[in-house]
Amino acid sequence: MDAQQTRQGVLFALGAYFIWGIAPAYFKLIKQVSPDEIMTHRVIWSFFFMLLLVSVSRHWANVKIILRQPKKVLLLAASATVICSNWLLFIWAVNNDHMLEASLGYFINPLFNVLVGMLFLGERFRRLQWFAVALAACGVIIQLWKFGSVPVIALGLAVTFSFYGLVRKKIGVDAQTGMLIETSWLLPVAAIYLFGVADSSTSHLSQNALSLNLLLVAAGIVTTIPLMLFTAACSRLRLSTVGFFQYLGPTLMFLLAVVFYGERITPDKAVTFGFIWVALAVFIFDAVWALRRREPHQKPRESGAEG
C-alpha cells in the first residue's frame, strides 16, 4: 500500500467520522418524525443521490462489472441489511435521548474493529492491543455486575458497524457502486413501507411543510457522503487502522449530548466510559508507537524509489 493511498485513506476516514460526529444534530431537527420513517427516507433519497452521483461521474461501467458478479451482489445485500440495522438503531437512540450510549457504541467500535480484523482478516494483535480490548471488556462486565445493566445500544451499534466494515472490505467494491447497489436492495422495502404502510402526521409528504420535506430529502446526503468516505477509507487502509480514527465521531457526539442536549452521565455510564477511554488511550499509544518503529525501516525504501 503506497504512501499516497494511505494519505487518501486517512483524509477519507477523518471526513467520515467528523460528519458522523455531528450528524445527531441533524436527526434532532426532524425528531417529530418516527425513526422508521426517517430510516425509509435515508434509503430512498440515498438511492436517488447515488443515481445522480454515478451518472455525473460516468461510473456506470463499474456498476455493470459488479452486476455481472452475483456473489458480490448478494454480499452487498448482506452489507445493506447490516448497515440498515445500524442506521435504525442509531436514529432511535438519538431521538430517544440515548445519544451518550450511541457515542459509547462508537467509542467501543475501534476495539471491535481490531477483534474483527484478527478473527476474519488474519490481522495480528500486539500486546497493548490485547490489553486495550481487555480493558473495554472489563468496562462492560463491571457495568453488568455492579449496576445490572447492559449497554445494549452501544454494543449493537459497535457490532453492526464493525461487521459492515468487514463485509465491505471483503467485497472489494468501490464506494459509489457499493452504495448504489446496497440502496437498490433496500429501496423496494423502504418505498412500500413509507407509501403503503406508514400512516402518521409526517408520512404524507404533500401535507408536510416544505422545510420538513427538504430536511427529509437531505437524509440522503447526510447518509451517503460519510458512508462513501468510510468505504473509501476501508479500501485503502487496514480495518484496524480505520478504527484508529473512530474516536473523533463519538467525541463530537458525546459533547453534543452533554453540552447541547443535556443528557446526564449516570454512574454506570461513567464507569464504562472511563474504561473505554483508557482502552482507547492505550490503543492510540500502541498505534503511534508501532508507526514510529516502522518509519526507520521504510525511509530507505522510499529514498531508493525516488532515486
Side-chain angles (χ1 to χ4, degrees):
M1 207 171 289
D2 60 31
Q4 183 179 2
Q5 270 198 322
T6 302
R7 283 194 295 270
Q8 289 175 347
V10 168
L11 290 174
F12 288 142
L14 286 173
Y17 290 128
F18 177 79
I19 296 171
W20 274 323
I22 62 173
Y26 162 77
F27 291 110
K28 286 287 189 182
L29 290 175
I30 51 175
K31 189 175 181 178
Q32 70 271 35
V33 182
S34 66
D36 50 356
E37 284 182 35
I38 297 175
M39 179 69 228
T40 60
H41 283 287
R42 290 190 80 167
V43 170
I44 292 168
W45 302 117
S46 294
F47 171 77
F48 287 111
F49 183 74
M50 287 311 307
L51 276 182
L52 177 64
L53 195 60
V54 169
S55 299
V56 169
S57 62
R58 298 179 180 179
H59 212 73
W60 285 107
N62 287 11
V63 176
K64 291 176 182 177
I65 290 171
I66 298 300
L67 289 177
R68 295 192 194 105
Q69 303 176 62
K71 183 178 178 181
K72 288 192 174 184
V73 174
L74 287 174
L75 282 172
L76 284 167
S79 66
T81 302
V82 174
I83 197 60
C84 182
S85 303
N86 181 274
W87 289 348
L88 188 58
L89 182 57
F90 178 75
I91 296 167
W92 185 91
V94 169
N95 284 352
N96 284 275
D97 300 321
H98 293 289
M99 198 187 301
L100 272 177
E101 193 166 342
S103 73
L104 177 61
Y106 290 114
F107 275 122
I108 295 173
N109 184 244
L111 305 172
F112 263 91
N113 283 343
V114 172
L115 190 60
V116 167
M118 183 197 73
L119 293 175
F120 298 99
L121 300 176
E123 297 177 359
R124 294 183 179 180
F125 266 28
R126 293 184 292 271
R127 290 180 181 178
L128 284 178
Q129 288 180 318
W130 276 113
F131 182 54
V133 172
L135 281 173
C138 284
V140 175
I141 291 169
I142 289 174
Q143 180 174 344
L144 173 62
W145 170 64
K146 185 74 175 175
F147 300 96
S149 61
V150 179
V152 176
I153 295 170
L155 292 175
L157 289 171
V159 169
T160 53
F161 203 68
S162 292
F163 275 96
Y164 177 72
L166 170 68
V167 175
R168 285 302 300 264
K169 191 169 184 69
K170 283 282 191 181
I171 296 171
V173 63
D174 66 273
Q176 289 187 27
T177 301
M179 188 67 183
L180 177 62
I181 296 174
E182 283 175 339
T183 52
S184 298
W185 277 110
L186 297 172
L187 181 66
V189 177
I192 290 170
Y193 182 83
L194 182 61
F195 300 114
V197 178
D199 186 18
S200 68
S201 58
T202 55
S203 62
H204 305 286
L205 300 184
S206 60
Q207 299 175 15
N208 290 342
L210 177 61
S211 58
L212 176 58
N213 281 339
L214 289 175
L215 282 171
L216 292 172
V217 171
I221 298 173
V222 172
T223 299
T224 303
I225 290 179
L227 202 57
M228 286 180 59
L229 291 173
F230 172 76
T231 52
C234 282
S235 67
R236 289 165 174 80
L237 302 171
R238 289 174 54 169
L239 193 60
S240 53
T241 305
V242 174
F244 175 81
F245 299 95
Q246 176 78 22
Y247 69 89
L248 175 63
T251 298
L252 293 172
M253 209 179 298
F254 179 90
L255 292 174
L256 281 175
V258 175
V259 177
F260 293 98
Y261 297 109
E263 289 193 25
R264 192 170 61 89
I265 304 175
T266 54
D268 59 332
K269 287 189 177 69
V271 169
T272 309
F273 268 114
F275 272 91
I276 297 300
W277 284 337
V278 173
L280 283 175
V282 171
F283 178 76
I284 292 168
F285 173 80
D286 173 77
V288 172
W289 180 257
L291 283 172
R292 287 181 177 178
R293 289 182 65 184
R294 280 202 299 264
E295 280 176 358
H297 301 289
Q298 291 175 344
K299 284 179 181 177
R301 289 199 298 270
E302 292 170 358
S303 59
E306 289 171 358

